[in-house]
């Protein structure tokens, strides 16, 4: 029982490290200019080291000192967590577009006809090579950290599950595993809650004073302290690893003979149809969960106009606890009715079928992407990316990002791209609106725009989406413990 407690704590901490990346993925994209394709590859790269070693290492589960192997793996996971935060310390401060001249900067991204490459405009010619070099350094460090995270995680779950199953009674084993799985599901939930808390702090909280930051966390240009959560999570993993070096387990003597049997055991398992089908089912389920965990936060941000912090809070406080409830219920049903393997299979099929029924309406809960001038919307294809006839004289930098919403309900990536020549500010130096915008026409006159994105107008669908996705997750999770019992038995 003490081992179950320790292992639940370790898996919670381990998943806190891997889950935290997913909770801050959109923030890291914004900070280092990564595409969703790159960030998705980064989020899944920990599976590379895991996949290369998991089959071979798991085979030694009953012949090695499992607790010590788990402890060593946890140390590697902790190192990976600290490495994930390293890019913040090796790169310069975050620089964002500043549309209003102030004591801190004389830059502006308003339209300035006839001024080419002046200091007043946010010309990106001088900093592009440096930014690209920084991104390469950041990606290299993060990919190495993700590989170490995968390698360190190899012994943790399989050795822990087999250790519990070996020493618990057959009657109590499903209950212990159900408890273990439910506790570990809290890990990603806590990760998203941690992300919600950390992203409320400005990214360079350790480098600049609060007076120098002219943004709020609701501003599209805001970048939160994504790196801080990795330091917290890595420290927790290091503490959780300590007890494993004190659990007893002797190394057996028949090691060489055992090693020679590995190919035979592997082939025997690969010829077992039930085993293969259950593994394929878990692979598909893991693929679905990986996609959701990585990009659901970003989806909620874009589709329902939420902040990164609020999106993480919804996932961490609703969806993941729902999955935990499903795992607990599945384990309890298994123990209450002492199900046979055939009944376990039927329970898995039923849970996934009901999940599909509830998830199907999610395909229709959404709105079209908002119109963004020069990106998803253009009145003419004659001009290039972000370039419109109405702003050709404005000398706008291509990489500027300070979105505004025009009075014509069209979004522009910056005031300059909308051809705005004036800005109205209030007493505390925050922007009220942008005026005299040549690209925003109203009755033949230049229109105005407000700071921030236009949003999608989908807020009324947010609650149904959250409820249906949570219920579907609960039903899918009821199959988690039965499917593991099929493999173990």
């Amino acid at each position: 029982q003490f081992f179950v407690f320790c292992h639940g704590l370790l898996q919670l901490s381990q998943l806190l490290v891997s889950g935290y990346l997913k909770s801050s993925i959109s923030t890291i994209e914004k900070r280092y200019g990564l595409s969703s394709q790159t960030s998705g590859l980064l989020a899944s790269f920990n599976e590379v080291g895991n996949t290369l070693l998991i089959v071979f290492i798991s085979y030694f589960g009953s012949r090695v000192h499992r607790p010590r192997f788990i402890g060593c793996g946890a140390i590697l996971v902790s190192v990976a967590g600290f490495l994930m935060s390293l890019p913040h310390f090796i790169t310069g401060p975050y620089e964002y577009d500043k549309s209003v001249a102030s004591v801190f900067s004389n830059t502006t991204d308003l339209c300035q006809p006839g001024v080419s490459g002046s200091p007043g405009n946010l010309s990106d010619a001088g900093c592009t090579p440096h930014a690209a070099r920084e991104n390469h350094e950041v990606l290299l460090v993060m990919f190495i950290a993700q590989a170490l995270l995968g390698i360190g995680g190899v012994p943790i779950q399989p050795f822990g599950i087999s250790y519990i199953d070996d020493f618990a009674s057959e009657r109590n084993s499903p209950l212990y595993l159900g408890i273990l799985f439910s506790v570990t599901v809290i890990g990603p939930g806590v990760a998203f809650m941690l992300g919600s808390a950390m992203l409320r702090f400005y990214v360079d909280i350790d480098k600049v004073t609060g007076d120098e930051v002219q943004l709020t966390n609701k501003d599209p240009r805001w970048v939160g302290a994504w790196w801080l959560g990795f330091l917290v999570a890595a420290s927790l993993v290091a503490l959780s690893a300590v007890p494993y070096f004190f659990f007893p387990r002797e190394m057996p003597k028949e090691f060489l003979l055992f090693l020679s049997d590995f190919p035979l055991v592997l082939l025997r398992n690969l010829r077992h149809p039930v085993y293969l089908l259950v593994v394929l089912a878990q692979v598909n389920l893991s693929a679905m969960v990986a996609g959701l965990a990585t990009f659901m936060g970003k989806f909620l941000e874009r589709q329902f106009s939420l902040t990164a912090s609020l999106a993480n809070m919804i996932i961490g406080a609703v969806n993941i606890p729902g999955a935990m409830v499903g795992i607990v219920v599945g384990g309890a049903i298994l123990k209450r009715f002492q199900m046979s393997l055939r009944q376990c299979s039927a329970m898995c099929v039923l849970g996934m079928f009901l999940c599909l029924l509830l998830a199907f309406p999610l395909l229709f809960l959404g709105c079209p992407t908002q119109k963004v001038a020069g990106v998803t919307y253009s009145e003419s294809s004659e001009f290039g990316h972000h370039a419109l006839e109405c702003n050709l004289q404005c000398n706008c930098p291509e990489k500027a990002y300070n979105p505004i919403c025009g009075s014509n309900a069209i979004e522009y990536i910056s005031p300059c791209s909308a051809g705005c020549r004036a800005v109205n500010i209030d007493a505390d130096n925050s922007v009220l609106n942008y005026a005299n915008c040549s690209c925003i026409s109203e009755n033949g006159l230049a229109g105005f725009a407000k700071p921030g994105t236009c949003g999608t107008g989908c807020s009324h669908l947010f609650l149904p989406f959250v409820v249906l996705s949570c219920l579907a997750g609960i039903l899918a999770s009821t199959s988690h413990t039965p499917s593991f019992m099929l493999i173990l038995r």
Side-chain angles (χ1 to χ4, degrees), residues 106-117:
N106 62 354
T107 59
T108 178
D109 54 7
L110 293 175
C111 177
Q112 295 186 329
V115 182
S116 178

Side-chain angles (χ1 to χ4, degrees), residues 20 31 45 71 79 119 187 197 203 213 254 256 263 282 296 316 396 439 461:
Y20 185 78
R31 173 65 181 89
F45 199 73
V79 170
V203 61
V213 182
E254 64 276 16
L256 292 176
Q282 289 195 341
M296 188 172 181
C396 300
C439 294
L461 297 176

Side-chain angles (χ1 to χ4, degrees), residues 131-336:
R133 186 172 67 251
E134 278 192 350
N135 285 352
H136 289 153
E137 293 169 356
V138 164
L139 284 175
L140 179 62
V141 171
M142 286 188 165
F143 272 103
I144 291 173
Q146 284 290 92
L148 286 178
L149 181 62
I151 294 170
V154 166
I156 293 177
Q157 189 176 47
F159 282 10
I161 291 174
S162 64
Y163 196 85
I164 291 169
D165 196 53
D166 282 351
F167 298 108
S169 67
E170 191 168 323
R171 176 180 175 81
N172 286 329
S173 183
L175 176 63
Y176 289 147
L177 293 180
I179 293 172
L180 179 64
F181 293 144
S182 66
V183 170
T184 56
V185 169
I186 299 174
V190 176
F192 279 95
M193 297 298 286
L194 182 64
S196 176
M198 295 297 105
L199 295 181
R200 293 174 186 270
F201 298 104
Y202 185 64
V203 61
D204 291 322
I205 191 173
D206 60 327
K207 299 177 181 177
V208 298
T209 62
D211 295 336
E212 296 179 63
V213 182
Q214 298 173 284
L215 303 178
T216 67
N217 61 7
K218 294 183 179 179
D219 193 295
R221 295 166 292 173
W222 175 269
V223 169
W226 61 271
W227 53 274
L228 203 52
F230 282 113
L231 297 181
V232 174
S235 300
L236 286 176
V237 174
L239 288 174
S240 303
V242 174
Y244 286 89
F245 294 98
F246 299 96
F247 282 104
R249 186 67 178 123
E250 292 184 1
M251 184 77 75
K253 297 178 181 178
E254 64 276 16
F255 190 82
L256 292 176
L257 179 62
F258 173 76
L259 185 63
S260 65
D261 289 340
F262 172 70
L264 297 176
V265 175
L266 180 63
L267 289 173
R268 186 182 67 201
N269 281 337
L270 291 177
R271 288 198 301 265
H272 198 297
V274 175
Y275 174 81
L276 278 183
L277 286 172
V278 175
V279 169
L280 286 173
Q282 289 195 341
V283 166
N284 281 280
L285 189 60
S286 297
M288 181 189 75
V289 171
L292 284 174
T294 305
F295 289 115
M296 188 172 181
K298 187 175 181 179
F299 174 80
L300 292 176
E301 289 176 45
R302 307 314 308 164
Q303 189 68 180
F304 302 110
S305 303
L306 305 182
T307 64
S309 177
L310 182 56
N312 283 336
M313 183 175 291
I314 294 297
I315 297 172
V318 179
N319 290 80
I320 292 179
M324 182 187 73
V325 169
I327 291 176
V328 172
V329 169
I333 292 174
L334 227 65
K335 178 174 171 62
R336 172 67 179 83

